[in-house]
């Protein structure tokens, strides 16, 4: 049995308008990508499919066995221990394919987010559900583990829905993509690249159509203005006020013009255009196009007056077990854009924590975006946003808009989506005129258009950037230097390059 939505309408509690309205869509066996801007309802759609949320109207036909893998990995899967000790062929194959270790249940708090994600999905696949729902499955996962995960997901024979900002995953896995444009949704064939190209062709066609209609509207308005001017001149000529009282011949001619209607023709033609102009204006307004977003929002003073942001001396830092992280002498300058890369578990986050502890930088000039933000911190950040003075809140909204989200709904929701929250957190930092921005997996939870917006924004950033990411395409657009962690026997070594090579 496949998964089907029939005329589904759904409204969040307290929202003034529905998020989804009259959506009908069918999901057959195979993978469907769910694509849309942050806040467009991607995770909500998965929760409706799983039965975690209940629709306001319509019907959802679903099989009994559905598994949802949420974005967060704070807690281990309930059946992780059973999976790790299972001896059936499927469990053994999945543990080997996704390189899940036997002691991960006991070591869950110390696992990297990427290791947790692999364990979460391995357990889900082991359950062999009819429908598998994945929310950002490649978050925090390094390139090697990502290849393993894609191989495992391609072997799944049920119905799968995947929300992801990972273009390559969507291209390799999906036969169709559902594009969410609240309150509606459009299914497009192909992986993300083909489906997005189809979407862009339609978007370009709408822009062309609106431009054509706008030009036609301006022409009609110009013609209307010309005709009204001509009618005004005719009214002036038709007036008897300037005729001498004894000019009976002139008065007779003007009376005749009124009777024949020739003298009022320009006025009638002008009035006839009013209806055409009103109709055309409705057509222009009906053609929806994407809003123009601000691209410049960095404030003066967003750069350290000091040439050097920080210096690390050669040393070794203890990692888990007997391993150590060996750091050479390294210096970061005020306008450096540093990419930190390396496989999961090699200590990238440990390195970040060490750097943050060494900084001699005022807290107001440091912006730090961690990999994950818990619910309590999310609510604290949203409360801070609402309590800002109006002018500062307006600047925050400008940044959020430039990063691809409508900021207005944020004031109505304490539980912002992880992608929206990252934009808000960056925006709150921007208004403090930062000297250094530190971002741990900056593209996690962002929709694909927002990743492009973030690339453009950081390309204009005047301050230092320290970026930990597995997204090499993103880093290639932003980073100017490269710090890479490599495993070397019992230690991990940090290698630095003054150029980003993307390797």
């Amino acid at each position: 049995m496949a998964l089907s939505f029939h005329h589904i309408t759904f409204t969040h509690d307290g929202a003034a308008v529905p998020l989804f309205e009259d959506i009908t869509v069918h999901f057959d066996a195979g993978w469907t990508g769910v694509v849309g801007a942050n806040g467009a309802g991607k995770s909500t759609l998965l929760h409706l499919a799983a039965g975690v949320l209940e629709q306001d109207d319509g019907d959802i036909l679903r099989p009994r066995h559905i598994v949802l893998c949420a974005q967060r990995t704070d807690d281990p899967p309930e059946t992780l221990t059973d999976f790790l000790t299972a001896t059936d062929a499927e469990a053994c194959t999945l543990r080997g394919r996704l390189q899940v270790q036997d002691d991960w249940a006991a070591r869950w708090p110390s696992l990297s987010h990427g290791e947790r994600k692999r364990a979460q999905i391995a357990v889900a696949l082991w359950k062999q559900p009819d429908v598998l729902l994945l929310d950002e499955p490649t978050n925090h996962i390094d390139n090697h583990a990502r290849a393993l995960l894609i191989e495992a997901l391609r072997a799944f024979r049920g119905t799968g829905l995947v929300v992801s900002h990972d273009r390559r995953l969507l291209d390799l896995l999906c036969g169709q993509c559902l594009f969410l444009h609240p309150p509606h949704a459009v299914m497009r064939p192909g992986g993300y690249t083909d489906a997005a190209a189809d979407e862009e062709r339609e978007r370009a066609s709408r822009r062309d159509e609106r431009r054509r209609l706008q030009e036609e509207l301006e022409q009609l308005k110009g013609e209307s203005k010309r005709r009204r001017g001509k009618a005004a001149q005719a009214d002036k000529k038709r007036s008897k006020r300037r005729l001498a009282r004894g000019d009976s011949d002139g008065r007779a001619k003007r009376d005749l013009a009124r009777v024949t209607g020739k003298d009022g023709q320009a006025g009638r033609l002008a009035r006839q255009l009013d209806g055409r102009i009103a109709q055309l204006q409705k057509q222009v307004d009906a053609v929806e196009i994407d809003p123009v977003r601000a691209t410049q929002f960095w404030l003066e003073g967003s750069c350290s007056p000091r040439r050097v942001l920080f210096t690390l001396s050669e040393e070794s830092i203890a990692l888990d077990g007997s391993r150590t992280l060996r750091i050479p002498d390294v210096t970061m300058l005020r306008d450096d854009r540093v990419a930190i890369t390396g496989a999961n578990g090699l200590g990238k986050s440990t390195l970040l924590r060490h750097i943050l502890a060494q900084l001699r930088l005022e807290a107001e000039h440091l912006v730090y975006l961690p990999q994950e933000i818990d619910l309590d911190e999310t609510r604290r950040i949203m409360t801070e946003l609402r309590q800002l003075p109006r002018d500062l809140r307006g600047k925050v909204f400008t940044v959020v808009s430039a990063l691809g989200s409508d900021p207005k709904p944020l004031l109505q929701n304490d539980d912002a989506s992880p992608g929206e929250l990252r934009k808000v957190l960056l925006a709150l930092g921007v208004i403090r005129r930062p000297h250094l921005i530190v971002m741990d997996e900056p593209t996690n939870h962002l929709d694909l258009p927002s990743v492009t917006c973030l690339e453009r924004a950081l390309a204009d950033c005047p301050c230092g950037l320290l970026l930990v990411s597995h997204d090499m395409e993103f880093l290639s657009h932003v980073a100017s230097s490269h710090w890479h962690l490599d495993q070397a026997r019992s230690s991990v070594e940090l290698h630095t390059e003054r150029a980003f090579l993307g390797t």
Side-chain angles (χ1 to χ4, degrees), residues 392-445:
L392 290 180
R393 195 165 65 230
K395 292 177 181 177
V396 169
F397 283 1
T398 297
V399 178
V400 172
S401 177
L403 295 175
S405 285
D406 181 0
K408 293 178 182 178
L410 294 174
L411 294 178
Q412 305 169 357
N413 188 7
D414 276 342
D415 302 340
S417 72
E420 290 173 306
L421 185 65
R422 295 177 81 79
K423 296 175 187 179
V424 170
L425 198 54
L426 178 58
L428 289 171
V430 166
I431 65 174
R432 301 201 308 265
R433 294 175 168 82
H435 295 168
L436 175 63
I437 297 176
V438 180
M439 306 176 79
D440 199 348
E441 297 294 353
T443 61
N444 277 1
H445 307 299

Side-chain angles (χ1 to χ4, degrees), residues 92-128:
C92 294
T93 298
L94 285 167
R95 289 198 299 267
R97 181 175 286 171
L98 291 173
Q99 298 182 357
V100 177
Q101 304 301 314
D102 294 341
D103 62 348
W104 277 12
R107 292 199 300 115
W108 190 264
S110 66
L111 297 181
S112 71
H113 287 288
E115 290 168 333
R116 293 182 186 185
K117 181 60 72 173
R118 275 159 42 207
Q120 179 197 52
I121 294 174
V123 171
L125 289 170
W126 178 57
K127 294 178 179 179
Q128 297 184 339

